[in-house]
Amino acid sequence: MIKTIVTVLLIAGFSMFGLAQSHYPGQHTDKLKIAESIDFKAEAFNMSEVKLTNSRFTENMQRDSKWILSLGVDRLLHSFRTNAGVWAGLEGGYDTVDKLGGWESLDCELRGHTTGHILSGLAMLYGSTENDIYKIKADSIITGLAEVQKALGQSGYLSAFPENLIDRVIDGKRVWAPWYTLHKLYAGLIDQYLYCNNEQALKIVSKMGDWAYNKLFVLSEEQRTTMLRNEFGGINDSFYCLYQITGKNEYKWLAEFFYHNATLDPLKDKVDNLSNKHANTFIPKLIGVVRGFEIGGNSDYKEIADYFWDTVVNHHSFCSGSNSDKEKFFEPDQTSLHLSGYTGESCNVYNMLKLTRHLFCLDADVKYADYYEKALFNHILGQQDTKTGMVAYFLPMLPGAYKVYSTPDSSFWCCVGTGFENQAKYGEAIYYHTNTDLFVNLFIPSQLYWKEKGVTIIQQTQFPKEGKLTLWVNSEKPTLFTLKLRYPYWANKASVKVNGKKIKISNHPDSYIAINQIWRNGDKVEVEYPMVLKINPTPENPNVVSISYGPVVLAAKMGTEGMEAPAPYSNPNLHNDYYTYNYHIPENLCNELNLNGKKISSWLAPVEEEFKFRGVDSATGKVYEFVPISDLHRERYIMYWKLQ
Ligand SMILES: [Zn+2]
């Protein structure tokens, strides 16, 4: 028995997963039988109410869309059809479908997860753009999945792998992460119902929920404990969602069944038990926990989620908002000892942002918006290669490393799955609201339609190239509300003008500037947040530092010496090469930096017209060019320095 448990733990430790979109407070109110029972301090807008306008964010989204649309429906359904025996290729059928590779191979135990992520990605692309092309593709996938579910029998089971994998996890036998994989499918189908009104998706996922209930309600506590040692993603969140949509208590029971006591209970006592835990097995459990609180669950759940978030963000995260080394949390405040080539799994950031959104809705605390901005602008935006649209698994902190990107159809790592979603939902966290207030949390070119007020807000900005933004108010009639502008921690002496007239700002950075007035059509708000260069020491070593400009981490460009093809792309002929990648860092590459006692603001000089800075090392005379880490691609870089 002990041996079996060890095996399960090892397997969980090597898997690395994410979670899908689904539901935030304030959204989809017309589709929920069970509403949240908490008074939220802020609510999210539906995705269709926020449209992005041209910027780097829309460019990323377009590359993502192109990739998702390039993967044919037959390819995404093939493993499901094969599992159910409904693939009627007959002789020669084996070469009719161009099979997906990597973690979608027919002999990989995670097969099918990508189809779930793509259903979520298509739902968000449709939610963000209302372009039917995304809905049409998703409808075809869902029709195919319904056929597979029918062929697999009456129980409601639906997967690209046999049910036997679930039996193995219940029995504590060796298996990768079947509930994790199913979670992607649950979430993708729920998203298709919530964002695209696909009723068939709801029928399919409800049957899957019935199957799960019948499978699990007969288990003993010992079996449950054994099963939960294996990674299960955020399936508790999906079951809470299904409960809210249908009102069926069985789904709520399922969500609570996946409460993982061994991991979560120590957090109640404010014990930092994170060290050496697989980060992305851990984080999604908290999203489920906070969702449970939102719909009237145990009040401990909120404290658990708060403590976890503070601990991860303040004691286990890098300057980019990323966390983990080789997928695991390390000892608190030890970042300088973990500058490896395998830091910052992208799924972890995806999930931390999701948790952050829920906590923001509960408390409307500016710290959540600060973190969201940091992780979005430094990690997520730069996860995607600007040339090919491929995405990186890790954000390596190792001086001289580079980002290693996936292939189009032979990787399908977990971070490819969450990557499809990351790049489709940049509109989600810019604005929040209450009945009386509008929060502007992120500085991203966009247009918001606030239906309840009949107000449209247009945001124009070049941020983070400059710390200025303009908001235009278009209002059907004069409307009273409080505009709450995030006054970020990195800014000082903010300046705000309303219709050209400067307003008095009495509060400090890291708060909200509140402007309460009757807003009229054509009102204009001009905001300026001065951005400064800053040195950020690691908590444990004042001489190991990163450099930032506003919230943006700057990295030095270190060239491409020794990067041979297929670098920086993953080699499809190697098994999970990202995990043991040899960066062949040139021997003379060094991250020691001598500023000769100068302040960073006088050492680094902006390069005119470009979003770049230049500095010369006082000891060696070497010239360094710095750019935002999210702009740095296909080249070596340094993010962390040893100050001399
Ligand atoms: Zn991942």
Side-chain angles (χ1 to χ4, degrees), residues 16 345 347 414-415:
M16 336 90 190
E345 186 187 344
C347 289
C414 50
C415 298

Side-chain angles (χ1 to χ4, degrees), residues 380-568:
I380 300 296
L381 187 61
Q383 187 206 0
Q384 187 202 68
D385 175 26
T386 48
K387 189 171 160 191
T388 61
M390 296 299 103
V391 292
Y393 199 108
F394 292 125
L395 177 58
M397 303 294 159
L398 178 69
Y402 49 88
K403 298 170 188 172
V404 177
Y405 311 103
S406 64
T407 57
D409 65 356
S410 54
S411 303
F412 293 117
W413 313 315
C414 50
C415 298
V416 170
T418 49
F420 285 131
E421 299 182 35
N422 281 332
Q423 307 297 328
K425 60 188 181 96
Y426 284 118
E428 71 167 11
I430 305 173
Y431 308 99
Y432 292 83
H433 69 100
T434 64
N435 289 338
T436 55
D437 299 350
L438 177 68
F439 294 87
V440 180
N441 272 3
L442 297 178
F443 314 133
I444 294 179
S446 53
Q447 182 172 317
L448 162 75
Y449 178 55
W450 190 5
K451 196 172 50 193
E452 291 81 2
K453 300 279 181 205
V455 165
T456 299
I457 303 286
I458 297 167
Q459 182 182 163
Q460 297 170 327
T461 180
Q462 306 254 353
F463 183 81
K465 194 176 171 192
E466 54 182 33
K468 292 179 186 168
L469 58 138
T470 304
L471 301 170
W472 296 92
V473 181
N474 290 343
S475 183
E476 289 159 16
K477 56 179 191 312
T479 305
L480 176 70
F481 65 91
T482 304
L483 182 68
K484 288 194 160 177
L485 297 165
R486 185 169 69 97
Y487 187 178
Y489 65 94
W490 46 260
N492 49 37
K493 293 180 187 161
S495 149
V496 179
K497 288 182 201 164
V498 178
N499 296 328
K501 201 176 159 199
K502 226 172 181 179
I503 64 161
K504 190 169 179 268
I505 298 167
S506 50
N507 48 333
H508 297 288
D510 219 18
S511 63
Y512 282 93
I513 298 168
I515 311 170
N516 178 247
Q517 65 172 60
I518 293 169
W519 296 91
R520 293 184 164 79
N521 197 34
D523 281 347
K524 180 184 180 186
V525 182
E526 294 164 280
V527 186
E528 187 165 357
Y529 294 128
M531 297 174 76
V532 292
L533 287 158
K534 205 173 157 222
I535 292 217
N536 311 294
T538 55
E540 68 287 350
N541 187 340
N543 293 321
V544 177
V545 305
S546 62
I547 297 171
S548 57
Y549 179 66
V552 169
V553 177
L554 299 178
K557 290 158 70 78
M558 298 306 292
T560 56
E561 186 189 336
M563 285 173 63
E564 289 178 14

